[in-house]
């Protein structure tokens, strides 16, 4: 579960909230199911990413099962600052999960934004934006039961059609001690519609804690523009980083050096082939022709991928 991290102690922990007072907007790698794992976090940290999230983990499974803990949460000494994102709908379960990861991470995040039907049917994700008292209860429990005062507790939300309800949710969360709030600027029904950056700006204007903007960020320039437009303290990126892990370092498309770094890191971490290959498909999307994609995307072994990269790109 925790590679090379047993020596990590709470006294080494930095307060991730300090990042938001560093004088520049915080560049954040979003929680991404299957993708924001240790190897990928290691890669984006090499290219100016300030803060990384784990994929969403179901807190009840994590607390109940050692097997779930070992497969879902892997970290190392260099993997900081790190936020572990949980899906939860019970205060004590979230608190128990937070206590387990506390020595190995800098904070936890409660997912209040996942719009997938299965998550909402289980009482997880975006349905929580309609249950502000439950969100408060969960935050309060973690705050009261995790002994380290520097351990952050954040939430990631979507917006309501009636923005007053979103502002009310955020104020209630702030009053209970939430460290910061990430706002994905779409409602539960929206997928590829334009992001409501004006809504994120209004939320920011109504809050004292840091607010992070999320949604449709493809380049560093996009991130800078959104930061300026909304006044937010950080910008969180998902698909933009999958397509270009070097995005925060100012690269318009994935440089070959980044592809080489991914190969080295993935092999070192023993990344399963499917994950290794999928990341490369995303990274090379913009730099390969349709014909090249037809060949590359059906390769079925690590050695075939390495041969292809060596033959075509000298990687």
């Amino acid at each position: 579960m925790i590679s090379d991290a047993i020596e990590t102690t709470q006294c080494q922990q930095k307060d991730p909230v300090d990042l938001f007072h560093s004088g520049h907007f915080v560049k954040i790698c979003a929680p991404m199911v299957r993708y924001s794992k240790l190897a990928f976090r290691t890669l984006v940290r090499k290219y100016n990413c300030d803060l990384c999230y784990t994929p969403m983990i179901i807190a009840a499974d994590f607390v109940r099962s050692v097997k779930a803990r070992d497969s879902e949460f892997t970290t190392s000494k260099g993997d900081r600052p790190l936020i572990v994102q949980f899906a939860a709908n019970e205060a004590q379960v979230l608190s128990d999960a937070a206590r387990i990861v506390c020595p190995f991470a800098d904070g936890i995040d409660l997912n209040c934004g996942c719009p997938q039907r299965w998550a909402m049917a289980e009482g997880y994700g975006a349905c929580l934006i309609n249950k502000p008292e439950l969100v408060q209860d969960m935050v309060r429990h973690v705050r009261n039961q995790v002994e380290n005062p520097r351990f952050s507790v954040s939430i990631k939300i979507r917006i309501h059609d009636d923005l007053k309800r979103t502002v009310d949710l955020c104020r209630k969360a702030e009053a209970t001690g939430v460290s910061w709030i990430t706002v994905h600027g779409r409602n539960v029904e929206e997928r590829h519609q334009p992001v409501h950056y004006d809504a994120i700006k209004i939320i920011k204007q109504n809050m004292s804690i840091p607010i992070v903007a999320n949604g449709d960020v493809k380049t560093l320039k996009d991130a800078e523009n959104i930061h300026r437009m909304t006044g937010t303290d950080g910008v969180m990126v998902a698909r933009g980083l999958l397509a270009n892990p070097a995005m925060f370092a100012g690269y318009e498309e994935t440089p070959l050096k980044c592809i080489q770094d991914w190969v080295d890191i993935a092999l070192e971490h023993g990344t399963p082939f499917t994950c290794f290959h999928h990341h490369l498909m995303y990274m090379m999307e913009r730099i390969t022709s349709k014909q090249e994609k037809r060949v590359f995307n059906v390769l079925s072994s690590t050695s075939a991928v390495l041969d292809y990269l060596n033959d075509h790109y000298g990687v």
Side-chain angles (χ1 to χ4, degrees):
M1 170 167 116
I2 318 287
S3 55
D4 301 333
I6 302 310
E7 298 160 37
T8 309
T9 57
Q10 291 182 358
C11 62
Q12 289 175 294
Q13 221 167 25
K14 291 193 175 77
D15 189 337
V17 175
D18 291 347
L19 286 171
F20 294 101
H21 306 295
S22 61
H24 64 84
F25 75 92
V26 184
K27 304 175 189 74
I28 304 171
C29 174
M32 290 179 276
V33 174
R34 293 187 303 279
Y35 292 125
S36 61
K37 296 197 164 186
L38 176 59
F40 187 70
R41 297 195 301 265
T42 304
L43 179 67
V44 295
R45 288 184 196 281
K46 284 178 77 100
Y47 291 93
N48 293 8
C49 186
D50 300 314
L51 180 64
C52 291
Y53 281 55
T54 67
M56 179 182 81
I57 299 168
I58 295 179
D61 296 344
F62 190 79
V63 169
R64 194 170 46 235
S65 157
V66 174
K67 191 176 172 189
R69 292 201 284 278
D70 287 348
S71 67
E72 296 289 330
F73 181 59
T74 310
T75 186
S76 65
K77 278 191 282 195
D79 187 29
R80 306 298 279 273
L82 178 66
I83 305 300
V84 182
Q85 192 190 62
F86 286 111
N89 56 18
E90 288 178 66
Q92 192 54 55
V93 171
L94 181 63
S95 186
D96 291 344
R99 289 213 307 259
I100 293 169
V101 299
C102 180
F104 311 106
D106 299 278
I108 62 133
D109 184 83
L110 173 63
N111 184 318
C112 305
C114 177
Q116 291 184 31
R117 284 203 181 89
W118 73 265
M120 293 181 57
E122 295 282 342
Y124 300 141
C127 71
L128 292 173
I129 64 172
N130 299 318
K131 300 177 182 177
E133 285 74 24
L134 176 56
V135 172
Q136 281 186 296
D137 193 35
M138 289 197 269
V139 171
R140 197 179 290 117
H141 260 73
V142 177
R143 276 273 170 255
N144 291 342
Q145 294 185 24
V146 170
E147 289 173 10
N148 184 349
R150 297 173 77 78
F151 193 74
S152 69
V153 184
S154 55
I155 63 175
K156 182 172 188 283
I157 67 170
R158 282 188 171 234
I159 58 174
H160 300 82
D161 289 331
D162 177 3
L163 204 57
K164 287 195 193 78
R165 293 180 65 196
T166 317
V167 170
D168 177 63
L169 166 72
C170 292
R171 283 180 173 154
K172 283 178 171 160
E174 179 176 31
T176 321
V178 149
S179 309
W180 69 83
I181 298 172
T182 300
V183 182
H184 181 89
R186 291 186 175 98
N187 68 31
V188 176
E189 302 300 323
E190 292 174 320
R191 294 294 182 275
H192 303 291
Q193 291 87 336
V195 176
H196 303 285
Y197 296 116
D198 52 336
I200 300 176
K201 181 180 182 177
I202 289 165
I203 293 165
K204 172 60 190 167
Q205 288 168 341
N206 278 276
M207 306 298 292
S208 330
I209 55 170
I211 299 295
V212 172
N214 171 231
D216 275 6
V217 188
K218 296 187 174 68
T219 64
L220 181 60
K221 210 164 253 131
D222 285 348
E224 288 164 349
N225 289 340
I226 290 160
H227 163 63
R228 266 196 301 274
M229 206 184 338
T230 59
T232 46
D233 307 273
V235 175
M236 177 185 279
V237 183
R239 281 175 302 200
L241 276 175
L242 279 182
N244 179 8
M247 186 195 105
F248 283 140
Y251 291 93
E252 292 289 314
E253 55 190 31
T254 313
L256 286 181
K257 171 79 172 78
C258 182
I259 292 171
Q260 178 70 66
D261 286 338
W262 171 244
V263 169
D264 294 343
I265 290 166
L267 294 179
E268 188 188 326
H269 284 82
T271 302
F273 171 73
T274 304
C275 180
F276 169 64
H277 190 209
H278 278 184
H279 274 293
L280 285 168
M281 284 190 225
Y282 279 117
M283 288 180 208
M284 294 165 64
E285 173 75 24
R286 294 182 202 164
I287 58 174
T288 49
S289 66
K290 270 188 183 161
Q291 199 173 349
E292 286 172 317
K293 285 186 188 71
R294 272 202 292 272
V295 176
F296 184 78
N297 292 359
V298 297
L299 297 176
S300 58
S301 70
T302 301
S303 56
V305 167
L306 295 177
D307 287 345
Y308 183 96
L309 293 174
N310 187 32
D311 294 347
H312 290 74
Y313 298 101
V315 169

